[in-house]
Each structure stands twice: as C-alpha cells, then as structure tokens.
Amino acid sequence: MGGITGHIIGACVRGAGRRPRGAAALGGLALLLGACVADQTEATVRPAVVRVPAEAPRTTGRERAADADHLKLVASFGGEARAPNVMRLLTEVTDRLVRASDRPDQSYTVTLLDSPVVNAFALPNGRLYVTRGLVALASDTSEVAAVLAHEMAHVTLNHATARSELELRSALVSRVVADVLNDPDTGAQLQHQSRFALARFSREQELEADATGVRTLAKAGYDPFAAGRFLTALSRSTGLKAGSANAPDMLATHPGTAERITQVTRAARRIGAPGIGTDDRATYLAAVDGLSYGDNPRDGAVRGHRFIHPGLGIAFEVPEGFTLENTRSAVLGTTQDGSRRLLFDQIEAKEGQPLDAVLKASWNDAFDPAGFETREVGGHPAAFALSRGKEWTFRLAAIRIGDSTYRMIMAAKGTADPDPAFRRWTATLVAVSPDEAVLRPLRLQVVQAMSANAEDLARRMAVPDRALDRFLVLNGLERGAALVPGRGYKIIVE
C-alpha cells in the first residue's frame, strides 16, 4: 500500500493510518474509493539522507525549508527510483530544453520518483519531478521532453503562487473541509501538507504552459507533436482503469484532455508539418529497458485479482469483475461500471478493544443494528457491520491477524446488498509466510517484433487483463496498428 499524487501536488485528504470518518451517501468513502491517493506514514516513509560537506556554504532559512520540503515530497512518492540510464536521459533532455527556453539562465534539477503513478510536477525553485510510471508510459524521448518542457514553463512563467498566498489558501481549504464537511482530521491533514503542496494551476495557466512547452520542444529540435501524443496516451491509460474517476494521475488537476490535445496539436502545426524534429525513440527504449514497472513489492503488490503484502504478511483475493489499485494507505477496487467498490486498509485498535467497537470508531455513519455479527474468518476473530446511505450500501469488517487489525469495506450502489460478494472476499484474507509472500517486481522489457501482429507481443505481457489494450497504450499504438518487424517495443514482464 503506497503512493501520493496530484499536479503540482494534489490534495489527498486521508493520511495513511487514519480512519475514514463516515460516508453519507458515498461521502467520505468516495474519497477513499475514488479520487484520493494516500500520502506518507512514519511506518512507510524512509527519507533520503543528505550529507552536507563541512566546506559547504551556509544556507538560508528558505533554502533549508525547500530542502526539507523536497525530502518529504520525495519520500511521499516512495523515494527516488534507482534507474541511472533513465536519470542520464532525463538530465540530458532537461539541459537541451533549458538551452532552447526563454530562460536559459534558470537552473533545474530532475528527480525520478519511485512511483507507478503517472505524474510530473515542478517547484518554483526549478526542481522538476517525474515518476517512473510516467517514464514507462511515454513512447519516445520527445514525449518525455514534452512533459519536462511543460513543467519548466510553469517555472519560467511564475505560475506557482507565492508561499504566503499558498498558506492562506491551504488554511482556507482546511477550514472548509473541517467545518463544512465536518471532517477535522482531513482539515488537519491538509494543513500539514500545505508546507510543501502547491496550488493547482488554473485552466489558463495549464494551456499557457502547454503552448510555451511546445515552442521550447520545437526549438530544442524535438518533435513538437509529441505533446499531443503523450496526452493521448495519458487519456487512454486512464481509460484502462475501471471506474476511471479514481485514477491517481495528472488528469485530475488539468483541463479537459481533449481540449489540451487540440491546443497542443494546433500549436505544433503552427511550427510545421508532422515529421519535423526528432523523437529519439531508439535512445529512449535503450534507457527504459529493465525499468521497474507497477507497484514496488515492498509496499505490497497486485497480481491479477490477488493482493500480497510481504511486509504485513497477508494476502487476499477479490471477486471476479473487480480491478485492484494499490495506494500508500489502502488497496482500492472497483468494477468496470463503478457500481461496486471496495477498500482494504490497516486501522488502529486499542489493546483489548472489541472489534465491533473498532468498526464503530472508524465510521461516522449509522449502522444497521441487524447487521452486526462477530465470528472467525480463517481462524481469526472478526466483526461485521452494515451501513446504508441514500445512494450506497456498505458492508464492513474488522479482522484481527496477530497484532494487526485490518478493515475491509465493500460498497454497492443503490439498495443492492453486496453481502454475498463481500463474504467471499473476506474469506480469502489469510496470513502468509515470508516464502509465500516473495514477489518479483515487474519491469519493462524491450523486445523486437517478429511479425506485424500486435497480439503476438501482447500475449507476453504480465498483466491481469486487457493485455492487447495495455500493450498498445504502452507503445503509443492504435488498435489495428501493424508492428514493424525488427523494431523494438515495450512489454511488461516479471
């Protein structure tokens, strides 16, 4: 369970280890089962250690605060990814873009974040951040250059609000969440995040950064049409997720993707016809070959319909029809039509506290008295409960395995009771030994096509479903496209 996202850092409202506080209609659970992606916890965050040489010049208070914010931000995305070839490529691309930008005197540093989330963002001091999930999605060097040029434009155009204005805005948001939504825990969490979270860019600022980025991209000699290609890939990638409203990616804080694709394509056409500039595809594929893909096994991983967490020593399987997504504080699941959703997380329980009391303490909405039940699941004590809202029906369970207490929630839209599927799901929660919990990380592998048939390579993809669709999106191909024999393509392998 690991990850945080948002562009330039979104406002996820639940900290890992915190208990959701209710779900009128879909209410608070919508945030957890929908758009929210959790942030760091003391248990999962391992900030990088920075050693300052004795001869280093003294830094200002603002610089020290910026360094501290950087470490927190990197930690909340799982740390820095170890991928020297990718880092070398990103640095070279950034240097090339800087020389072609309107501010060649502005300095930048790039950090590759160890997160499967597709995201990139910038801080006003020139720190650029790109996730390995974004690097995996891009098809060539010009596409990742388009993302970096966009983020650099935010810096050079001074789009980020002043720190004092940001703090005022964050305080206002926190107060609204705490007072209007009656959720003080969320308000406090947002206020805590405000030290390093930047406000979302407005629609106008995003479009302005898009236009500036395309111009810089072309001046640097890259294909200016790459911006539109990447945005298309981003949209298609999001569409592969069941209930795409819960997708933790850049789209959540940007204008409509179709509008942006139209705008960047128009900007590229003003520069020249398709075919200008270079995409450096071969260089890119050589750099990403072997790059880690998907969840980091240390934070648990989804394998098909099964979730395994080596650190916690637990595993479970979800019913057919659910697609799972692992975040830093919870495992989320949804059906293709979004009518059923689920959540699995670890919650705090006082020593000796009955499990039914644990459930009540973790949920603000009313329970149906007839829904309470206490029994064992796989030899472990468990308590079950039922809660009904106007639009959703919730089944909840608290299960104690060893010294840890886990919560499982399944929601069904309308009056349908998810109990049969919920019982099947909870019955699969088991403790696993270290040998059983061994997970090999997924990675990208660049292979040469032996035929023009995309299905030949798609069959080699280590993915739970829609292998052909995922292969096409990963390589920027449309359905029905013919592969070029002898050309390299990305696949996902163990």
Side-chain angles (χ1 to χ4, degrees):
M1 294 182 280
I4 178 177
T5 190
H7 176 94
I8 260 184
I9 308 278
C12 171
V13 298
R14 301 287 184 188
R18 290 184 176 272
R19 297 186 296 273
R21 299 184 54 86
L26 190 53
L29 189 59
L31 294 173
L32 285 165
L33 300 184
C36 178
V37 181
D39 58 14
Q40 74 274 16
T41 69
E42 292 181 1
T44 56
V45 171
R46 290 182 290 275
V49 177
V50 178
R51 293 182 173 84
V52 181
E55 67 274 18
R58 297 182 62 183
T59 57
T60 66
R62 178 173 296 182
E63 289 170 335
R64 287 194 297 272
D67 288 341
D69 290 347
H70 166 77
L71 293 178
K72 291 178 183 178
L73 193 154
V74 170
S76 69
F77 277 85
E80 294 189 37
R82 294 186 180 92
N85 290 339
V86 174
M87 273 305 306
R88 189 177 303 111
L89 176 73
L90 294 176
T91 301
E92 291 173 356
V93 169
T94 301
D95 290 344
R96 183 168 162 178
L97 290 170
V98 170
R99 292 193 295 270
S101 71
D102 296 334
R103 286 282 310 279
D105 59 322
Q106 171 71 50
S107 61
Y108 295 88
T109 57
V110 186
T111 299
L112 179 63
L113 300 169
D114 190 13
S115 170
V117 167
V118 178
N119 212 340
F121 46 90
L123 296 181
N125 59 7
R127 278 180 165 147
L128 306 177
Y129 301 85
V130 179
T131 62
R132 59 175 170 79
L134 185 147
V135 171
L137 179 62
S139 294
D140 55 49
T141 304
S142 66
E143 288 188 16
V144 81
V147 173
L148 289 168
H150 173 96
E151 300 306 332
M152 290 167 57
H154 279 309
V155 176
T156 58
L157 293 169
N158 297 316
H159 280 169
T161 57
R163 189 176 188 87
S164 59
E165 294 177 7
L166 173 59
E167 289 174 348
L168 290 173
R169 181 181 289 108
S170 299
L172 175 61
V173 172
S174 302
R175 190 163 61 250
V176 169
V177 172
D179 297 342
V180 178
L181 300 185
N182 191 28
D183 193 346
D185 284 354
T186 293
Q189 179 67 17
L190 282 176
Q191 193 167 29
H192 175 70
Q193 293 175 355
S194 68
R195 291 191 63 250
F196 60 88
L198 297 182
R200 297 175 179 179
F201 291 131
S202 70
R203 171 184 174 279
E204 292 75 15
Q205 288 174 328
E206 285 298 337
L207 296 178
E208 185 182 16
D210 278 341
T212 301
V214 169
R215 290 196 300 271
T216 302
L217 195 64
K219 287 176 63 179
Y222 291 113
D223 178 6
F225 289 87
R229 291 201 306 273
F230 181 78
L231 287 172
T232 299
L234 181 59
S235 180
R236 292 175 63 197
S237 175
T238 301
L240 287 174
K241 298 178 181 180
S244 58
N246 73 354
D249 55 37
M250 302 164 64
L251 297 181
T253 51
H254 283 61
T257 309
E259 179 185 10
R260 293 186 67 200
I261 293 173
T262 298
Q263 295 289 344
V264 295
T265 302
R266 186 176 299 159
R269 284 175 179 159
R270 285 195 290 267
I271 296 169
I276 62 173
T278 179
D279 60 18
D280 280 348
R281 184 175 183 273
T283 301
Y284 193 77
L285 292 181
V288 303
D289 191 16
L291 179 68
S292 296
Y293 184 89
D295 298 327
N296 190 320
R298 74 177 180 227
D299 298 320
V302 175
R303 293 291 185 267
H305 291 95
R306 193 176 192 221
F307 174 77
I308 311 170
H309 199 300
L312 298 177
I314 55 95
F316 63 79
E317 294 185 17
V318 296
E320 192 71 27
F322 279 90
T323 297
L324 289 178
E325 178 185 345
N326 185 26
T327 75
R328 201 160 195 78
S329 67
V331 179
L332 312 177
T334 182
T335 54
Q336 185 67 34
D337 61 4
S339 64
R340 294 201 173 196
R341 300 182 179 184
L342 59 81
L343 176 147
F344 172 90
D345 64 359
Q346 184 176 3
I347 56 177
E348 297 176 3
K350 298 177 182 178
E351 186 176 355
Q353 186 179 22
L355 289 176
D356 57 350
V358 173
L359 277 181
K360 290 177 182 178
S362 72
W363 195 253
N364 269 1
D365 284 358
F367 286 115
D368 184 335
F372 277 106
E373 180 185 1
T374 301
R375 57 185 176 85
E376 287 192 349
V377 172
H380 306 290
F384 292 77
L386 168 66
S387 179
R388 301 182 188 275
K390 291 182 180 179
E391 298 180 16
W392 293 80
T393 299
F394 301 90
R395 285 285 179 175
L396 305 89
I399 302 174
R400 184 170 289 142
I401 298 180
D403 296 329
S404 301
T405 302
Y406 302 99
R407 181 177 53 175
M408 306 176 79
I409 304 173
M410 185 175 288
K413 200 165 188 177
T415 58
D417 191 340
D419 190 47
F422 180 64
R423 287 179 180 269
R424 290 197 302 273
W425 176 38
T426 55
T428 68
L429 179 63
V430 294
V432 293
S433 68
D435 291 338
E436 294 175 284
V438 172
L439 289 172
R440 288 186 297 175
L442 299 180
R443 59 185 175 87
L444 294 181
Q445 183 180 26
V446 177
V447 297
Q448 288 188 333
M450 303 301 292
S451 73
N453 189 353
E455 292 187 1
D456 290 344
L457 290 185
R459 280 192 286 269
R460 298 170 60 179
M461 296 269 286
V463 294
D465 57 11
R466 304 178 68 179
L468 178 58
D469 289 336
R470 296 181 190 280
F471 171 79
L472 294 175
V473 170
L474 194 64
N475 290 281
L477 301 171
E478 297 293 336
R479 182 169 283 276
L483 304 187
V484 178
R487 192 177 189 186
Y489 295 90
K490 293 177 289 181
I491 61 173
I492 303 167
V493 299
E494 282 195 74

